Amino acid sequence: MQETVQATQQEALAAIAAATDDAALEALRIEYFGKKGRFRAFFQEMGKLSPEEKAQAGQYINAARTAIEEALTARKEAFKASQFADLDQKEWLDVTAPGTRETHLGRGRLHPLTQIQYEVEDIFRSMGFNVFDGPQVEDDFHNFGALNIPADHPARDMQDTFWLTNGRLLRTHTSSVQVRAMHAHKPPLRGISPGRVFRYEATDASHENTFYQVEGLMVDKNISVANLIYVMKVLLREIFQKDVEVRLRPGFFPFVEPGFELDISCLICGGGGCPVCKHEGWVELLPCGAVHPNVLRNCGIDPTEYSGFAFGMGLNRLVMMRYGIDDIRHFQSGNLEFLEQF
Ligand code: DAH
């Protein structure tokens, strides 16, 4: 029997050495030490031996068992260690390698209108102006009434309006935010309000039903048209990065008195005349004026104590001038080839 046990031990050790994974080791453990395993059979046989033989057999059977168990444990440990041994090979990664270029997903960017809006905001903030926001769905009072445009006034025809069924409207200009700003803050007051406006009109190369404006307002004691011109000149110099010549012509808007059209010398031809300025050398850029006393009064400000200026500027026009864009409809086209140029 001793030879059988020793032969079994050799066989087991060889099998353990040849095992390639944990599952194989577990199968061997069951084969040798399981309920119906080979060692159980040895112990049963041992029971039939004489007492001296039994003691001797106990020793060599146990020795064989220990040897096999130790081999199983050692092999198991070796597997565990080898799992991580080549980790640096299996999971090696060159963190300095350049990334793969995404060809189908370009990088996002800001819309040119947003870019110019942010620029305008920065310029005005540097002059101490606040940036005010107002709702795109307005009421009659803020869009028209408070701005000295009464219900039967022909000026309402100038702005064909999207009326909502609840009596409200889509604001036709950002001047509505003037009214909100003056109600919310006492003078001295300096603010601009950029945003989206709507007109109920047919679109063509120079007309859109949705576009962007920035409204400006300054109210304090002794504010005059001189202050207006100075602020406009700073704005234009910063936007176009050069000194821009301006001129004022009279213009009518119910909420300013006097009202003006501010023209700039054509940046394309330098004032000599070209198709962009229709050979006049001047381009109409922004309407403005001194805030009408009625507007101040409508907003709870005493016009005998305070005065102010206001202006409205089309952001689309500004972007078009800067980049020589010939059709306002590009802005809302969603055309990536257009947008990716900015
Ligand atoms: N709200 C006018 C428009 O959209 C533009 C405008 C004109 C604004 C004169 C002003 C201003 O503040 O003084 O047509």
Side-chain angles (χ1 to χ4, degrees):
M1 172 158 163
Q2 185 167 6
E3 275 134 53
T4 320
V5 171
Q6 272 160 0
T8 303
Q9 177 181 339
Q10 295 311 320
E11 191 189 311
L13 294 181
I16 290 167
T20 53
D21 56 20
D22 280 342
L25 290 181
E26 179 60 10
L28 289 171
R29 190 189 65 76
I30 291 167
E31 179 181 343
Y32 290 96
F33 306 124
K35 265 190 196 155
K36 292 175 188 158
R38 312 258 284 263
F39 274 73
R40 185 156 178 111
F42 291 146
F43 285 117
Q44 275 165 358
E45 258 179 72
M46 193 176 84
K48 298 174 200 153
L49 299 176
S50 67
E52 306 88 69
E53 282 174 327
K54 207 186 270 179
Q56 206 195 354
Q59 273 174 15
Y60 61 69
I61 295 175
N62 274 328
R65 184 172 67 178
T66 309
I68 297 171
E69 276 173 354
E70 279 172 0
L72 279 173
T73 311
R75 189 94 178 113
K76 208 169 200 162
E77 292 296 323
F79 283 160
K80 206 186 271 175
S82 76
Q83 243 182 2
F84 300 106
D86 57 350
L87 203 63
D88 57 340
Q89 290 302 315
K90 275 192 296 202
E91 300 193 1
W92 185 82
L93 180 71
D94 182 359
V95 292
T96 65
T100 41
R101 194 191 168 92
E102 295 280 357
T103 46
H104 56 295
L105 272 182
R107 258 179 97 173
R109 67 192 72 216
L110 294 176
H111 193 283
L113 283 168
T114 310
Q115 291 180 25
I116 209 143
Q117 176 187 327
Y118 288 176
E119 269 180 56
V120 169
E121 288 180 7
D122 284 345
I123 294 165
F124 278 101
R125 279 208 189 88
S126 78
M127 293 191 279
F129 282 64
N130 286 310
V131 178
F132 293 115
D133 199 9
Q136 292 176 7
V137 173
E138 262 299 2
D139 53 40
D140 187 288
F141 175 75
H142 290 92
N143 197 82
F144 294 126
L147 290 167
N148 204 31
I149 315 174
D152 56 352
H153 198 286
R156 288 202 176 189
D157 296 340
M158 286 159 59
Q159 302 182 333
D160 289 343
T161 306
F162 285 110
W163 289 94
L164 306 182
T165 48
N166 63 6
R168 290 176 180 259
L169 53 95
L170 298 185
R171 68 179 179 193
T172 60
H173 50 189
T174 43
S175 302
S176 55
V177 190
Q178 268 191 37
V179 179
R180 294 187 174 273
M182 283 190 273
H183 275 112
H185 305 278
K186 288 197 166 62
L189 179 63
R190 265 179 280 185
I192 58 161
S193 91
R196 195 174 197 183
V197 301
F198 308 86
R199 301 275 169 93
Y200 185 34
E201 61 187 347
T203 58
D204 61 29
S206 48
H207 293 87
E208 252 294 9
N209 51 32
T210 301
F211 53 99
Y212 290 78
Q213 288 185 333
V214 57
E215 182 78 12
L217 174 73
M218 179 166 181
V219 182
D220 200 349
K221 292 178 175 156
N222 301 316
I223 295 295
S224 72
V225 173
N227 301 107
L228 167 66
I229 293 173
Y230 173 76
V231 170
M232 294 300 95
K233 279 191 152 179
V234 172
L235 167 68
L236 298 172
R237 188 179 63 221
E238 293 296 319
I239 288 278
F240 294 111
Q241 291 294 307
K242 59 179 167 193
D243 278 312
V244 180
E245 247 189 283
V246 302
R247 80 173 181 192
L248 288 185
R249 284 181 293 120
F252 173 71
F253 304 93
F255 31 94
V256 280
E257 178 56 39
F260 306 104
E261 291 285 359
L262 186 144
D263 298 342
I264 61 170
S265 60
C266 181
L267 296 171
I268 311 290
C269 63
C274 70
V276 171
C277 59
K278 301 194 185 87
H279 302 284
E280 285 187 22
W282 295 94
V283 179
E284 190 177 305
L285 191 70
L286 58 101
C288 51
V291 182
H292 197 292
N294 287 350
V295 175
L296 292 173
R297 221 174 276 123
N298 290 339
C299 297
I301 294 172
D302 180 358
T304 63
E305 194 180 347
Y306 290 104
S307 56
F309 69 73
F311 62 89
M313 182 170 60
L315 288 176
N316 302 65
R317 168 71 74 84
L318 212 54
V319 176
M320 290 169 83
M321 290 274 298
R322 179 142 90 175
Y323 297 112
I325 298 167
D326 57 1
D327 194 323
I328 194 173
R329 290 169 294 192
H330 285 307
F331 289 106
Q332 299 210 101
S333 64
N335 179 354
L336 290 178
E337 276 176 24
F338 169 73
L339 294 172
E340 277 167 1
Q341 300 174 82
F342 304 99

